[in-house]
Amino acid sequence: MTIGFIGLGNMGLPMARRLVEAGHDLVAFDRRSDAVAQLGAQAATSPREVADRAETVLASLPTPAVSLEVATGPAGVIEGSRVKRFIDLSTVGSATAVQIHDLLATRDIVALDSPVSGGVGGAERGALALMVSGPRAQFDAAGPVLGVLGHAFYVGDKPGSAQTMKLANNLLAANVLVATAEVVVMGVKAGLDPNVMIEVLNAGSGATSASRDKFPRAILPRTFDYGFATALMVKDVRLYLEEARALGVPIEIADTVGRLWGAAAQSQGPDSDFTTVIKPFEEAAGVTVGPARR
Ligand code: NAD
């Protein structure tokens, strides 16, 4: 089956590669043409051309504004002649997902909202958690494609509800990364070995996705190359805060987490890897966490 794929970045490229390896005929577009060349897929020159050539179009794009533009803007997916289903794998928040759903519905294009969790490693291994909302029958029809990327969870038929689930997940991921950074910096200042700290945390009740994955992979070895930009984490926390404020629910922890990530983006730069979030903690404490034990 021909599948369209738009956005071949840190996440999109390994996901698209898995689809090619699974035998799908892929037509792809990224505004960076080198990304399509790397993939060995058929290249399109616009989102509309992708949607002229495939019934199912997937997208993995950086921000809500880019997803909206690619899906519904000029030369966007909405203008395609063949497309029946648009599956957005990006984190855009529920308001943008609803906007995309409503605009595509005017052209009888079904929107499935499908943000993902699991990072670049999960994308490479086909081990992502995909959170999907939209019509159940469309979720079932997309099953063979989504199954190549990971485990697809049906969140509900309400447009945008998968985005709400994703924002809840990422607020926790954002939270435990800064919390783990803060306590490991404290331990190192007190003279503890950070490698021992991470081993103990992972064997005990302090284990988090940060101690299990981000610290061993990118912080202790000081490679800071996990593959998720600080600006994207700031975006996810901002989207969470917008939704939570609109709902009128407590945001005491989210507010603090948002402030810490905003400060990290300022000091490390928006394009820095999000694992550099530990550096402002290190600088304030006058210590360095790592390097990893050989
Ligand atoms: P990225 O910045 O690495 O990739 C985005 C890609 O989109 C780039 O290749 C860029 O050239 C392309 N692009 C930008 N504007 C475009 C346009 N107008 N038309 C076509 N292509 C365009 O981002 P990423 O890390 O791959 O993240 C993609 C999405 O997945 C984001 O919404 C992010 O929040 C989410 N996400 C990322 C991770 C991660 O670990 N990186 C994990 C889960 C979810």
Side-chain angles (χ1 to χ4, degrees), residues 12 26 32 48 62 82-83 88 105 112 116 124-125 167 182 188 195 207 211 217 229 232 237 241 245 247-248 260:
L26 218 71
R32 294 183 303 120
R48 176 179 52 208
R82 192 145 176 232
V83 60
D88 198 352
L112 274 180
V116 305
E124 286 168 352
R125 294 192 308 278
L167 296 181
E182 188 168 279
V188 169
N195 299 287
S211 65
R217 179 111 65 97
L232 294 185
V237 176
L241 282 165
R245 284 198 180 102
L247 291 164
L260 292 170

Side-chain angles (χ1 to χ4, degrees), residues 3-6 27-29 44-58 77 80 82-83:
I3 295 173
F5 206 107
I6 304 170
V27 47
F29 172 71
T45 55
S46 66
R48 176 179 52 208
E49 194 191 331
V50 174
D52 277 340
R53 291 162 63 182
E55 285 187 6
T56 298
V57 176
L58 286 79
V77 170
R82 192 145 176 232
V83 60

